[in-house]
Amino acid sequence: MKKTTDQAFFRETNLSLVLRNIHNDAPLSRAKLAVMTELNKSTVSSLVEDLLARGLIHEIGTGTIGTGRPATLLEINPKAGGIIGVELGVDFVAVALMDFVGTTLWRRKEKADPFEEKTKTIKQTLDLVDEAMTRCRALNLRLLGLGLAAPGTVDLKEGVMVFSPNLRWHNVPLRKIFSEHTGLKAYIENDANAAGVAEHLFGVMRQTKDFLFIYAGVGVGGGLFLNGKLYRGHNGYAGEIGHIPTLSEGTGEVCLCGNPSCWETRANQRALIRRVEAGLKNGRSSLAQNLMLEKNEPALSVELIKQAADGGDEVARESFDEVGRAMGQGIAGLVNIFNPEKVVIGGTLSAASGHLLPALKEAISQRALNDVLKKTDVIPSVFGDDASLFGAVAIVVEDIMWNPSSVERR
């Protein structure tokens, strides 16, 4: 039995190795795969046939390298199946149907009231999931799974959102709820971690082993990629960087987590809005206020403040500078600890990266320890505000990449 188990384990490991190489470097021939994986050609051929049978890869014609004869090329099959991604925001819910390479086939986003009972928000989300499933069936795609990105600490083993400071939810069994409703295998992940996986799997960080993903919105979270893998910590709760204390107790704003002076109270979208509101109360005029009236918006938002800053508004630009500096000061500490190759900024505030990044980078340059750390590259996420939604899909794809035999043969 042990021998059989070992054989199954090694075959799954090799199957994953071939699939991940195709994902990273396609198009590839069987011969090239044998060189890259250091497996013999017959083994690679058998593994490729297995992946073809599961529909995870497909052949895309022939190509030649050098003077060799033409070889059949392989790449990831976008039509391997559909994946449903769910993002639970603080004031919205979003659901998307994507294919196996992260192309959006359908999506919907709706406002949600963070003060409503969680059962109502979950019901609203499940209704959108039902729409996504109907759309997937209409496209004649099999469903490979459902991923959910949640704004809080997540028990990955149990699939439970343990605590969400901004939603004020405790111990919600999200995996059980969504799996029982859909009949699908459900994956639950912290929103910032999920966003980091999306950037690593689908975005500009595919070839980068050490990077930090900063998700800046209502809260501030982090996905820490070290040596090519998401770092989860002892109990899986690593990355709650927004709750690093920045000031002495009693000297700063109380965070929604209950602790005083968390970093995110100075570096999130509320901090931006609060700074603009303070300018208005002090009698300064701002385009943001005029835009509120023109668009009949009941309150300030990041988008309105960005539009004002785009128009040269001083209050908006100064507010972005202040939040950018606060973000940069916190990131400088992380850069000093982890020495990443790059830092990626995603989430709501990333939509205004043109206004945030100059002050942010300047703060890193001032606070980082040496010339190497001061030059750490900081870039906006390619997914912007949708980073966690793509991340919800990415965590399903990532699991399949490591466990290809979990997908049935066609």
Side-chain angles (χ1 to χ4, degrees):
M1 183 174 294
K2 182 179 183 302
K3 184 177 180 181
T4 302
T5 301
D6 287 346
Q7 289 174 341
F9 171 78
F10 285 121
R11 181 167 180 82
E12 185 72 359
T13 300
N14 289 335
L15 203 62
S16 172
L17 179 63
V18 169
L19 182 60
R20 285 184 287 112
N21 271 279
I22 294 173
H23 171 267
N24 291 335
D25 296 298
L28 292 174
S29 67
R30 290 166 174 80
K32 183 64 175 178
L33 278 167
V35 173
M36 295 174 69
T37 61
E38 299 183 352
L39 299 170
N40 65 56
K41 291 182 179 180
S42 62
T43 299
V44 168
S45 180
S46 173
L47 295 170
V48 165
E49 292 307 311
D50 194 340
L51 294 171
L52 286 168
R54 297 179 194 277
L56 296 174
I57 62 174
H58 64 170
E59 297 177 336
I60 58 168
T62 60
T64 59
I65 299 177
T67 58
R69 63 182 181 179
T72 302
L73 300 177
L74 305 159
E75 70 173 13
I76 298 296
N77 182 11
K79 297 181 180 179
I83 298 166
I84 295 175
V86 177
E87 180 183 4
L88 284 178
V90 175
D91 55 0
F92 69 89
V93 294
V95 176
L97 173 68
M98 300 186 193
D99 65 19
F100 195 52
V101 297
T103 302
T104 303
L105 305 175
W106 174 93
R107 63 171 295 170
R108 187 74 55 83
K109 183 177 182 178
E110 295 181 354
K111 291 183 178 180
D113 187 345
F115 298 103
E116 285 282 4
E117 287 292 324
K118 60 179 175 289
T119 52
K120 182 175 180 179
T121 301
I122 291 172
K123 171 64 166 57
Q124 179 183 7
T125 309
L126 290 172
D127 288 344
L128 293 179
V129 168
D130 288 341
E131 287 189 51
M133 294 179 69
T134 299
R135 180 62 177 168
C136 192
R137 287 192 290 267
L139 293 172
N140 198 29
L141 282 175
R142 59 178 172 175
L143 273 166
L144 297 177
L146 177 147
L148 189 150
T153 53
V154 175
D155 183 329
L156 295 176
K157 183 178 179 182
E158 300 298 328
V160 173
M161 184 164 72
V162 178
F163 176 48
S164 174
N166 293 306
L167 283 175
R168 302 174 182 84
W169 291 7
H170 294 265
N171 298 317
V172 185
L174 292 173
R175 183 167 65 201
K176 180 180 179 182
I177 292 169
F178 281 81
S179 181
E180 289 183 352
H181 181 84
T182 62
L184 299 171
K185 185 175 182 180
Y187 303 75
I188 313 299
E189 181 59 272
N190 166 268
D191 54 1
N193 281 345
V197 174
E199 204 68 53
H200 187 60
L201 198 64
F202 300 137
V204 296
M205 294 293 104
R206 184 176 293 192
Q207 305 297 336
T208 305
K209 288 188 175 182
D210 297 280
F211 72 93
L212 303 180
F213 188 95
I214 308 294
Y215 188 87
V218 173
V220 177
L224 314 178
F225 270 80
L226 306 177
N227 198 26
K229 292 185 178 181
L230 181 67
Y231 178 75
R232 300 185 183 280
H234 175 59
N235 291 318
Y237 301 153
E240 292 294 338
I241 58 176
H243 301 286
I244 297 172
T246 58
L247 299 170
S248 300
E249 289 191 17
T251 60
E253 178 186 349
V254 175
C255 180
L256 290 175
C257 74
N259 291 320
S261 307
C262 288
W263 175 37
E264 73 175 40
T265 63
R266 300 169 54 229
N268 62 8
Q269 67 186 50
R270 286 195 185 102
L272 176 71
I273 293 169
R274 191 168 60 246
R275 283 172 167 82
V276 174
E277 289 174 340
L280 296 176
K281 287 179 181 178
N282 289 332
R284 300 182 67 184
S285 62
S286 171
L287 288 175
Q289 194 172 34
N290 297 334
L291 289 168
M292 282 178 62
L293 296 173
E294 289 176 13
K295 298 176 181 293
N296 196 29
E297 293 286 347
L300 284 170
S301 65
V302 174
E303 178 58 28
L304 287 177
I305 298 171
K306 177 184 178 297
Q307 290 178 26
D310 291 342
D313 183 74
E314 288 187 8
V315 173
R317 288 189 170 185
E318 289 172 8
S319 298
F320 274 121
D321 284 346
E322 290 180 28
V323 172
R325 278 193 294 272
M327 290 180 67
Q329 289 166 3
I331 293 171
L334 297 170
V335 166
N336 288 339
I337 296 169
F338 295 106
N339 185 25
E341 181 180 342
K342 296 180 186 294
V343 176
V344 185
I345 309 294
T348 307
L349 286 176
S350 69
S353 58
H355 298 294
L356 280 171
L357 289 187
L360 188 156
K361 290 180 178 180
E362 182 181 1
I364 293 175
S365 180
Q366 292 171 347
R367 297 297 185 97
L369 285 175
N370 57 49
D371 289 341
V372 174
L373 297 175
K374 291 178 189 294
K375 295 177 182 177
T376 301
D377 195 13
V378 182
I379 60 175
S381 168
V382 295
F383 303 113
D385 196 17
D386 290 328
S388 288
L389 185 58
F390 276 86
V393 170
I395 59 175
V396 180
V397 175
E398 179 82 349
D399 186 75
I400 293 172
M401 288 288 176
W402 286 101
N403 304 282
S405 64
S406 64
V407 176
E408 294 182 358
R409 292 182 177 86
R410 287 177 166 175

